[in-house]
Amino acid sequence: MRKSFALHSEPHVADVGGTELLFQAEIFGDEFMDAYAELREAQKKQGVDLDNLAEGDPGELRRTMRSVRLFLARQMLPESAELFTTLDVVDAGGRLLESFTDYDEAEAFAGEEEGARIVDRFRLPTRVMVELLEWVVELYGGGAGSRPTTSSSGSATASRRAGKPGPAASPSKGSTRTRGR
């Protein structure tokens, strides 16, 4: 008996509002699990529940979302990771003062500037961040989306149906009942 396994060779693409974020074609399971464990630990340490964001402290929520960004960036190709993790420190008028990739450095710099605040260069709604996280976990964590995408001619053939086809009409040719009526 012989079994072949396909490997992804092209990057996975997340199209987020017209910006394409490129993710590594394949990630070794232990690397993914280490990164995921670090994310969960950071989340636990900050006491933020990603399933209940309304209850979180805003400062801790920012740090948790930063850890989500860093986790996702570890799965990305370098150019996408750089865009995704860059923090801009802006003044009260929104003018760029300085850019960072380290949150603590950005926070220290912003603390020295009157009215300065930290913003992600690639800003996303929290719901999109959570959707990206779920997609990446499914993609690399062995979920249904982990199988390489191929053309339909490269797809597995359908399983044979048991038994012999009968003379009955196809259900789609007759009227069908709708549940609940």
Side-chain angles (χ1 to χ4, degrees):
M1 180 192 277
R2 178 184 171 114
K3 173 100 174 131
S4 295
F5 295 89
L7 295 175
H8 293 282
S9 58
E10 295 294 318
H12 301 284
V13 180
D15 185 335
V16 182
T19 299
E20 290 187 340
L21 298 173
L22 302 178
F23 288 79
Q24 296 177 53
E26 291 286 353
I27 296 179
F28 292 104
D30 57 338
E31 292 172 5
F32 174 79
M33 293 311 295
D34 289 347
Y36 191 70
E38 288 174 24
L39 170 64
R40 299 299 290 184
E41 187 60 36
Q43 180 185 348
K44 216 185 298 181
K45 185 167 50 171
Q46 290 154 352
V48 175
D49 178 8
L50 289 176
D51 294 326
N52 188 10
L53 297 174
E55 301 291 318
D57 170 63
E60 295 304 323
L61 184 56
R62 272 190 210 93
R63 287 195 175 276
T64 297
M65 293 313 291
R66 183 67 186 165
S67 63
V68 169
R69 274 187 184 269
L70 294 174
F71 167 77
L72 292 170
R74 285 177 70 174
Q75 320 316 313
M76 292 179 185
L77 296 181
E79 186 177 307
S80 292
E82 182 180 340
L83 169 66
F84 201 68
T85 59
T86 299
L87 299 163
D88 291 332
V89 177
V90 298
D91 64 14
R95 186 177 57 90
L96 177 66
L97 300 174
E98 191 73 42
S99 295
F100 299 87
T101 55
D102 183 88
Y103 189 84
D104 292 332
E105 290 176 11
E107 194 173 49
F109 181 84
E112 296 173 4
E113 302 292 324
E114 181 84 22
R117 62 189 174 93
I118 303 168
V119 294
D120 290 299
R121 177 166 292 167
F122 187 64
R123 297 180 73 189
L124 292 173
T126 302
R127 69 169 178 79
V128 173
M129 290 289 293
V130 171
E131 287 176 33
L132 268 173
L133 176 62
E134 290 170 349
W135 178 68
V136 166
V137 168
E138 181 179 312
L139 190 66
Y140 299 119
S146 65
R147 198 175 81 217
T149 305
T150 59
S151 66
S152 58
S153 63
S155 298
T157 57
S159 300
R160 289 187 45 169
R161 292 173 52 177
K164 296 180 183 176
S170 165
S172 63
K173 292 181 182 172
S175 68
T176 56
R177 290 186 45 156
T178 304
R179 283 185 190 238
R181 287 191 188 173

